[in-house]
Amino acid sequence: MAVRDYVLNGLHIHWDSDKCEKCHICKTELPLVFDPDRRPWVRLDLGDAKEIRDTVSRCPTQALHDQTIR
């Protein structure tokens, strides 16, 4: 289906809709950053980079994952 990359200030989050099982960990933990009812649904500018990385790391399918080069 869809693959998207969200990049802001060195933070690079990748999303693959084929892997997404809609468990909503991202939406539950950071609803301002991850809002599936909004377009774009990921707004990195509305959250803290560390919190975003921590939340993305808990995605059980890795549909969302951190590709930031550190």
Side-chain angles (χ1 to χ4, degrees):
M1 275 179 118
V3 173
R4 302 273 188 274
D5 288 290
Y6 301 92
V7 180
L8 179 70
N9 298 329
L11 182 61
H12 183 171
I13 303 300
H14 179 82
W15 176 65
D16 183 341
S17 69
D18 286 340
K19 293 181 179 181
C20 186
E21 293 182 359
K22 315 246 183 319
C23 66
H24 296 291
I25 289 172
C26 55
K27 181 180 177 178
T28 302
E29 292 191 15
L30 291 176
L32 291 177
V33 176
F34 302 102
D35 182 353
D37 297 324
R38 178 184 64 213
R39 295 295 177 261
W41 79 279
V42 177
R43 292 277 312 272
L44 299 179
D45 60 316
L46 297 177
D48 173 75
K50 182 178 179 344
E51 289 179 331
I52 292 169
R53 283 187 187 107
D54 290 346
T55 297
V56 165
S57 73
R58 287 189 280 284
C59 180
T61 65
Q62 291 295 292
L64 278 171
H65 63 272
D66 184 2
Q67 291 192 299
T68 305
I69 297 171
R70 295 180 213 155

